[in-house]
Amino acid sequence: MLQAIGLESVEELFAQVPEDLKLRKPLDLPPAMSELELEDHMNRLAQANEAMDRWVCFLGAGSYDHFVPAVVDYIASRGEFYTSYTPYQPEVSQGNLQAFFEYQTMITQLTGMDVSNASLYDGGSATAEAVLMSFSGTGRSGAVVLSQAVHPEYRNIIRTYLENLDTQIRTVPCPQGTTAPEELARLLDDQCSCVVVQHPNFWGQLEPVEQLAQVAHEHGALFIVVVDLVSLGLLKRPSQYGADIVVAEGQCLGSPMSFGGPYLGVMACREEFLRRLPGRIAGQTVDRRGRRCWVLTLQTREQHIRRQKATSNICTNQGLLAIRAAVHLALLGPQGLREQAQLCLWKAHFAAQQITALERFELAFPGPFFKEFLVRDRQGRVADVLHWAWKQGIAAGVPLGRWFPQLQDCFLVAVTEKRTAEQIRRLAQVLAQAP
Amino acid sequence: MRNSRATRLLFELSKPGLRAVRFPEPDVPTPPPQELLPSEQLAADPPPLPELSEPDVVRHFVNLSTMNMAVDTHTYPLGSCTMKYNPKRNDRWAGLPGFAQLHPYQPEQSVQGLLQLLYELQQYLAQISGLDAVSLQPAAGAQGELAALLIAAAYFRQRKAELGPRTRVLIPDSAHGTNPASAAMAGFEAVTIRSNSQGLVDLEDLQQKLDPQVAVFMITNPNTLGLFETQIERIAQMVHDKGGLLYLDGANMNAILGVVRPGDFGADMMHFNPHKTFSGPHGAGGPGAGPIAVKKHLDPYLPVPVVVRDEEGRFRLDYDRPHSIGQVRSFFGNVGVLIRAYAYIRTLGPQGLRQVAEDAVLNANYLLSLVKPFLPVPFGSRCMHEFVATAQELRRQRGITAMDLAKRLLDFGFHAPTVYFPITVREALMIEPTETESKQSLDAMAQALFRITEESPELLRQAPHSTWISRPDEVQAARRPMLKWTPQEDRS
Amino acid sequence: MNPEQLRFTDTHEWVHLETTPEGQTLATVGLTDFAIEQLNDLVYIQLPEVGQQVRRGEAFGEVESVKAVSDLYSPLDGEVEEVNTSLTQDLDPLSQDPFGAGWLIKVRPSNPAQVEELMDYQAYRKMCQEG
């Protein structure tokens, strides 16, 4: 091949690179390994972790140990999905495009919203994107209002995204565990482009979303809700209480926890904001023979066309995770999702009851919750409690002191459909013996 | 074999009462939900999702998959996307329960194996980039760009007294659209720098626009024309002389692995695209990942957390970085993708990575030599990992466009190159064969392209002819957007 | 409208000045046939609100094809008096009759003399041919 292009050495291939810049020695990296050797190495690294296939998982806070049917893994591992890319050539990407169209449809069915995109990175950055959307959606960018009960990492991401813009972030304090509509009203004025609320919120509590939406709208701000998609098997759809933009972490729909990623940023909105949506969107059309088919559409919103005026810089999204979610939802169906939501609800309440039956522990907040609740250790020794439980093979909860100094005597417990009554009783027993 | 019933939608296949997942009978008390939750919070009915059996779902999605071209099935010379073969071993390892079943808020002590892997990956990427510090957090290249620009903003905010306010980001006209979009998102004004007649940065234009308000010059090197910026040292010098930072868009790292390092040619920060360079599968559009590497003086601003190693050799997630820009996404990062990148680097080692660059550049130059006799390649007779041909002459003489060639190539069993990008070349066909294509497949691709250029314009305008659908009506799709399925009775 | 009697910007907008029965000057602004042909298959247009201020050389709206977006630039300073809102529903008049039913906005110009600085038909055609 070198000969064919008239070169004598490989070195000549890099003639464009100035000589003095070239690396004169090999990269300082470990030597190559065969598949067999590396398999051993990777297995050792993996086994050095204490994973949730061996520990009983009550951890949540945005990443959940939900059931993933085998079909999801099987479909997602098809090379035709797995090793294809963004469907730039629709004639040879109908599989991906139709799957995205089905995903979008099911997200609108879940949320009740008019339109969905074909995915963003994760729940956190999707929330920040929703905030950016609200600027062009309202023509305001002076301030945004966040509930304190929104995931602290999501609020951190919004802060990062807005750091170099002239937008003020106002936070509604939630000492009672939910966002009070009158507190929210106090922080709103005609500068505010949006209100961001999580429902159920970071501490698992259900928010008075209807009233909050009303307050936001009275002040001309968009109502952005971060939802738990599994909860929508039972709870009202966001369209029913006045959401303008809905975002969610889609990991709960068929993806492993994988230490935080890759995950799936779900975003849906009202029709009015369609042209402000970031990311890819699949749309239906016909081909030259009149056959129904799908394409990427409304691409003028996107960076490859509109460049600095694009709705977002996003290019690569989470296509494979969106396909996982589509397969997962198709497997669950309406009854499956409702049963899953009910199981979460029942098991979480059973767990809360078992734990609070112990003198030492109480619920930090009194309001209704779905699958997650905040437990206060009256002795304030959260680290000891969690460490003790861990040694018994139980991941009992997430400590919150890192984000909320006032809640450092609390830990957040999540209970999914995968937990059994026996595991829950064991959790309570272990907590009872905690030092 | 493809099943023609497969194009029906899930919703059209749905039959009331069917289901594919059954949960265990509840083993805890089951009060009615309205006893546990306020009834005004409850929906009357579950969401109207489709109802299907497990075999329905499997058959549906397997049939859909057969309507895609993919790296596993076809040569995929999509320029700028580095569609190389994805070693299957990496997927097996990323899926090990010891990685995939880790919760992001587990105690650090319980994830030492993973943290070691991530720590080492940080070091490998620093080594490959020639830069000092790495954050693995960004979810994709574009988010890496955003994170890096926010780092620049924080850096200049802190040095405002000394360096003055910095509001502008310079970007060559041949750059990916993500660059100006990221600049705008980070609150900067994006200013375009012209390319010169060789397809490289026009130094005069750069000189003119490089003023004390410039924060960052974002450069792609090799650039999107597949050319190495031969003046890169001079460019770096010019930017640094004005107190600015040089950002490298690392989309094209495949061409220079182990050959030249961005840190050595003056870059202050860069992102990697592990789904391109380090063979993470592209997954129908993602997930990718977008680790960034920076010089020492920018280290304090990196997103949190970064993995550090303490004196006792334990690995920790360091959140205690007061100058950090914060997080750009939730949790650690796209760990599943990063594990694959780690395994790829460990598989190849230093010689293997350099071999990747050599083979990628050799393949591209070989293909270039076969293609340019019948399809002009405006910039240079040599390229790095990719080249940009133009159908401008064909269009003028015979009315054949780049799109026609791309569509017809599908009939010959090749994925199309990237078309109409970069925007500095008219009727552009951006071809990146990658190192994992054989000489035979390159010969076959060149031959197919040649045959196509000889075909009748009418045949080409109607192409593709053998695919599942013919060219879709994109105008209708955009004029009357239909973005979800609606039940028949709701349609107007 | 007869294109030969219009004035043109180098960004392919046309403008026509008229005096209303009330004696006010009103400028009708549109996009030329040349621009529309270049843009090819329009899919979407975004126009300003009545009452909005426009400035010469600054964007007052956008027109989109499948894979391109173009800003619409005002030929004059002034205030938007009327908007051809029917175009947002149906773009056909814009492509079929750009100098007539496809007009975009009517502006009450604050400085009608600005029109003198624009190209006449001959000059505009010449610019298009030279590409």
Side-chain angles (χ1 to χ4, degrees):
Chain A
M1 282 167 81
L2 273 175
Q3 246 175 6
I5 55 176
L7 295 182
E8 287 179 2
S9 74
V10 168
E11 199 48 46
E12 289 172 52
L13 286 169
F14 298 99
Q16 293 179 12
V17 181
E19 279 307 312
D20 59 319
L21 293 180
K22 283 184 182 164
L23 195 60
R24 289 283 154 229
K25 52 186 192 318
L27 289 165
D28 184 15
L29 295 171
M33 283 169 106
S34 67
E35 180 171 356
L36 198 152
E37 293 165 296
L38 190 50
E39 172 124 314
D40 185 51
H41 175 70
M42 295 299 281
N43 276 329
R44 272 191 288 113
L45 286 176
Q47 281 158 13
N49 304 314
E50 295 166 354
M52 295 301 114
D53 58 332
R54 291 180 293 145
W55 264 251
V56 181
C57 184
F58 292 97
L59 307 178
S63 172
Y64 298 94
D65 184 28
H66 283 297
F67 176 62
V68 180
V71 171
V72 177
D73 286 332
Y74 169 73
I75 297 294
S77 66
R78 295 277 305 186
E80 300 93 327
F81 285 130
Y82 201 63
T83 71
S84 61
Y85 199 26
T86 308
Y88 295 117
Q89 297 293 337
E91 296 88 344
V92 291
S93 311
Q94 284 300 298
N96 289 336
L97 285 161
Q98 185 174 338
F100 292 157
F101 184 79
E102 292 174 335
Y103 163 84
Q104 289 168 193
T105 302
M106 288 191 279
I107 294 301
T108 62
Q109 290 173 337
L110 271 183
T111 59
M113 303 304 284
D114 300 322
V115 288
S116 159
N117 68 10
S119 78
L120 298 172
Y121 304 133
D122 72 321
S125 60
T127 309
E129 290 274 6
V131 168
L132 295 179
M133 248 175 105
S134 73
F135 296 164
S136 62
T138 58
R140 302 170 173 185
S141 59
V144 300
V145 183
L146 316 180
S147 160
Q148 190 195 18
V150 169
H151 196 305
E153 290 201 11
Y154 292 18
R155 287 190 282 124
N156 189 331
I157 296 160
I158 294 169
R159 203 174 308 129
T160 307
Y161 269 56
L162 300 187
E163 187 66 51
N164 206 36
L165 309 177
D166 293 322
T167 305
Q168 190 190 31
I169 298 176
R170 303 176 189 169
T171 307
V172 191
C174 303
Q176 304 305 314
T178 58
T179 314
E182 55 277 14
E183 282 293 317
L184 172 63
R186 219 192 301 267
L187 292 179
L188 278 165
D189 57 35
D190 61 6
Q191 298 289 300
C192 300
S193 66
C194 68
V195 170
V196 186
V197 165
Q198 186 174 342
H199 175 64
N201 70 26
F202 180 67
W203 304 310
Q205 299 271 299
L206 267 54
E207 290 281 4
V209 273
E210 226 147 319
Q211 292 94 304
L212 294 171
Q214 206 182 334
V215 172
H217 290 153
E218 277 165 13
H219 291 81
L222 300 191
F223 189 57
I224 299 173
V225 199
V226 185
V227 297
D228 174 344
L229 296 164
V230 175
S231 77
L232 296 177
L234 273 174
L235 299 183
K236 270 192 182 156
R237 296 190 251 302
S239 61
Q240 293 173 300
Y241 51 77
D244 296 296
I245 307 172
V246 177
V247 288
E249 175 48 71
Q251 177 264 333
C252 57
L253 304 181
S255 292
M257 294 184 285
S258 204
F259 200 65
Y263 282 2
L264 170 67
V266 171
M267 178 180 268
C269 68
R270 294 201 290 118
E271 179 94 47
E272 193 185 332
F273 306 113
L274 168 59
R275 282 172 191 277
R276 314 194 186 281
L277 260 185
R280 313 282 188 208
I281 302 177
Q284 185 175 314
T285 186
V286 290
D287 75 355
R288 288 184 175 173
R289 297 191 289 259
R291 188 198 280 251
R292 179 174 69 175
C293 61
W294 290 274
V295 294
L296 289 180
T297 194
L298 304 176
Q299 293 190 56
T300 47
R301 298 165 297 110
E302 296 186 59
Q303 46 75 27
H304 61 286
I305 294 176
R306 205 179 284 252
R307 299 177 81 86
Q308 59 264 39
K309 290 182 182 170
T311 51
S312 164
N313 68 341
I314 190 166
C315 176
T316 299
N317 61 5
Q318 304 288 109
L320 194 72
L321 288 293
I323 291 172
R324 290 186 78 99
V327 176
H328 186 81
L329 286 169
L331 290 167
L332 283 179
Q335 280 317 312
L337 186 71
R338 172 147 285 192
E339 279 175 21
Q340 184 186 18
Q342 281 173 339
L343 286 171
C344 291
L345 179 77
W346 288 327
K347 292 184 179 206
H349 282 79
F350 179 67
Q353 178 242 316
Q354 294 282 307
I355 293 170
T356 54
L358 305 169
E359 187 68 7
R360 179 172 171 178
F361 301 101
E362 62 175 354
L363 293 185
F365 299 122
F369 59 91
F370 170 58
K371 71 178 181 198
E372 209 162 7
F373 53 90
L374 193 58
V375 175
R376 172 170 288 118
D377 173 13
R378 290 194 169 99
Q379 297 178 18
R381 298 174 62 190
V382 168
D384 294 337
V385 170
L386 296 179
H387 183 65
W388 163 259
W390 192 274
K391 285 195 297 185
Q392 325 292 315
I394 294 182
V398 176
L400 297 194
R402 187 168 111 208
W403 302 295
F404 302 99
Q406 74 278 21
L407 297 175
Q408 58 187 335
D409 55 347
C410 297
F411 56 98
L412 191 60
V413 179
V415 189
T416 70
E417 72 287 349
K418 282 176 76 175
R419 300 288 72 85
T420 63
E422 191 199 325
Q423 290 172 333
I424 293 167
R425 285 196 198 93
R426 242 192 82 219
L427 167 69
Q429 281 161 15
V430 165
L431 291 181
Q433 297 152 6
Chain B
M1 193 179 148
R2 189 180 289 160
N3 176 344
S4 63
R5 291 169 55 82
T7 51
R8 294 171 69 196
L9 288 158
L10 285 171
F11 319 100
E12 295 159 345
L13 297 164
S14 172
K15 286 214 187 57
L18 285 183
R19 56 187 305 173
V21 174
R22 241 164 242 290
F23 288 103
E25 285 301 310
D27 51 2
V28 297
T30 60
Q34 56 271 26
E35 285 180 19
L36 301 174
L37 302 177
S39 50
E40 73 267 14
Q41 293 273 18
L42 295 170
D45 301 304
L49 295 167
E51 298 175 73
L52 302 143
S53 71
E54 181 170 324
D56 285 342
V57 175
V58 170
R59 190 168 289 165
H60 175 76
F61 282 103
V62 170
N63 275 306
L64 285 192
S65 78
T66 65
M67 295 192 277
N68 290 336
M69 268 191 182
V71 174
D72 278 1
T73 56
H74 292 81
T75 301
Y76 210 128
L78 189 66
S80 209
C81 298
T82 315
M83 302 299 289
K84 60 169 82 175
Y85 169 71
N86 314 116
K88 305 307 166 195
R89 61 191 74 168
N90 299 349
D91 305 327
R92 179 197 276 180
W93 298 329
L96 289 170
F99 295 130
Q101 300 303 321
L102 295 179
H103 189 280
Y105 293 142
Q106 284 189 217
E108 286 165 359
Q109 265 316 103
S110 70
V111 289
Q112 287 295 302
L114 177 65
L115 293 185
Q116 181 188 334
L117 180 155
L118 296 170
Y119 178 80
E120 289 174 0
L121 181 59
Q122 286 175 182
Q123 291 187 311
Y124 302 163
L125 295 181
Q127 170 62 209
I128 292 167
S129 62
L131 294 164
D132 303 308
V134 170
S135 162
L136 300 174
Q137 184 169 86
Q143 211 190 25
E145 293 172 15
L146 176 66
L149 291 172
L150 291 169
I151 286 171
Y155 168 81
F156 286 115
R157 254 199 313 279
Q158 218 177 30
R159 281 173 178 64
K160 201 166 176 177
E162 166 197 348
L163 295 171
R166 301 267 171 167
T167 54
R168 301 162 73 195
V169 169
L170 306 185
I171 299 162
D173 52 10
S174 59
H176 298 106
T178 51
N179 292 182
S182 299
M185 245 174 128
F188 290 105
E189 181 198 351
V191 178
T192 306
I193 302 294
R194 273 198 307 273
S195 299
N196 63 20
S197 57
Q198 283 97 55
L200 303 174
V201 170
D202 182 333
L203 292 194
E204 270 176 42
D205 198 37
L206 176 63
Q207 186 71 61
Q208 205 168 42
K209 290 170 180 162
L210 198 55
D211 60 26
Q213 260 115 70
V214 171
V216 181
F217 180 38
M218 297 179 88
I219 194 168
T220 308
N221 190 24
N223 69 16
T224 57
L225 293 162
L227 304 174
F228 194 88
E229 293 282 354
T230 47
Q231 298 286 317
I232 187 67
E233 273 181 296
R234 172 99 194 279
I235 291 169
Q237 191 63 51
M238 286 165 70
V239 173
H240 291 149
D241 283 349
K242 297 279 180 184
L245 299 171
L246 186 68
Y247 180 80
L248 177 86
D249 179 328
N252 297 337
M253 279 303 286
N254 215 44
I256 57 170
L257 288 171
V259 175
V260 54
R261 305 189 304 172
D264 296 342
F265 63 61
D268 299 291
M269 39 186 192
M270 69 168 291
H271 78 260
F272 286 92
N273 294 99
H275 55 296
K276 299 179 183 177
T277 314
F278 303 123
S279 86
H282 284 66
I292 51 175
V294 299
K295 283 226 167 104
K296 200 169 255 122
H297 57 292
L298 299 170
D299 180 5
Y301 307 98
L302 283 178
V304 283
V306 289
V307 188
V308 294
R309 185 180 202 165
D310 66 19
E311 288 99 46
E312 285 103 70
R314 277 192 311 252
F315 298 96
R316 287 194 307 106
L317 290 173
D318 184 11
Y319 285 92
D320 185 22
R321 299 169 62 90
H323 296 293
S324 166
I325 58 164
Q327 283 179 271
V328 291
R329 50 153 297 159
S330 52
F331 311 118
F332 183 83
N334 277 357
V335 174
V337 180
L338 299 170
I339 293 170
R340 289 172 174 86
Y342 175 89
Y344 183 80
I345 294 169
R346 294 300 305 258
T347 296
L348 290 170
Q351 279 80 14
L353 285 181
R354 187 182 158 102
Q355 183 90 44
V356 164
E358 290 174 358
D359 291 351
V361 174
L362 178 60
N363 272 2
N365 276 285
Y366 178 71
L367 190 58
L368 168 69
S369 75
L370 298 180
V371 165
K372 75 181 173 203
F374 59 88
L375 207 56
V377 177
F379 296 105
S381 51
R382 287 269 179 268
C383 65
M384 297 293 281
H385 64 300
E386 68 188 356
F387 61 91
V388 178
T390 174
Q392 206 179 352
E393 278 303 298
L394 272 177
R395 182 176 183 164
R396 198 172 304 154
Q397 287 165 9
R398 304 180 53 214
I400 297 169
T401 65
M403 187 61 88
D404 295 336
L405 296 180
K407 295 295 185 195
R408 184 63 178 146
L409 206 47
L410 306 174
D411 282 330
F412 282 78
F414 295 94
H415 194 280
T418 297
V419 285
Y420 301 109
F421 183 80
I423 48 185
T424 47
V425 175
R426 288 186 177 204
E427 295 296 326
L429 289 143
M430 188 189 207
I431 305 175
E432 180 181 14
T434 83
E435 73 280 10
T436 57
E437 291 302 323
S438 65
K439 179 174 178 295
Q440 286 77 1
S441 74
L442 301 179
D443 288 337
M445 193 186 342
Q447 201 175 17
L449 258 175
F450 176 70
R451 276 186 55 189
I452 292 167
T453 57
E454 303 273 284
E455 288 183 319
S456 85
E458 191 43 36
L459 182 81
L460 297 187
R461 270 195 288 278
Q462 297 300 322
H465 299 275
S466 62
T467 50
W468 183 249
I469 58 160
S470 59
R471 281 192 214 185
D473 184 346
E474 299 197 42
V475 176
Q476 181 187 320
R479 276 196 177 177
R480 287 183 292 280
M482 205 168 165
L483 311 177
K484 63 178 179 186
W485 175 85
T486 40
Q488 208 73 50
E489 60 266 28
D490 294 359
R491 288 181 207 160
S492 49
Chain C
M1 242 166 275
N2 180 355
E4 294 184 23
Q5 288 160 4
L6 304 174
R7 293 295 188 124
F8 299 86
T9 66
D10 56 2
T11 47
H12 308 287
E13 291 83 12
W14 57 260
V15 60
H16 175 256
L17 287 191
E18 61 184 312
T19 309
T20 62
E22 296 80 43
Q24 283 179 339
T25 307
L26 198 61
T28 306
V29 178
L31 199 58
T32 68
D33 52 353
F34 179 85
I36 286 158
E37 199 188 304
Q38 293 287 306
L39 283 165
N40 186 350
D41 291 330
L42 299 178
V43 298
Y44 183 71
I45 191 162
Q46 196 199 322
L47 293 171
E49 306 276 329
V50 170
Q52 198 173 310
Q53 298 295 320
V54 294
R55 290 184 61 83
R56 189 176 70 161
E58 288 183 9
F60 67 82
E62 272 181 359
V63 63
E64 295 183 6
S65 61
V66 171
K67 284 182 183 156
V69 186
S70 298
D71 281 323
L72 300 166
Y73 296 98
S74 179
L76 304 160
D77 297 346
E79 184 179 316
V80 178
E81 176 100 356
E82 204 181 330
V83 177
N84 190 356
T85 48
S86 68
L87 292 178
T88 55
Q89 300 304 314
D90 179 12
L91 282 164
D92 286 346
L94 182 55
S95 29
Q96 284 157 18
D97 188 11
F99 296 111
W103 64 275
L104 302 174
I105 54 171
K106 296 191 181 180
V107 175
R108 193 183 313 157
S110 51
N111 180 10
Q114 282 177 327
V115 80
E116 299 305 325
E117 294 158 36
L118 300 175
M119 278 177 275
D120 64 12
Y121 184 69
Q122 244 84 46
Y124 176 69
R125 281 294 155 203
K126 191 155 170 265
M127 183 193 88
C128 294
Q129 273 156 20
E130 285 167 1

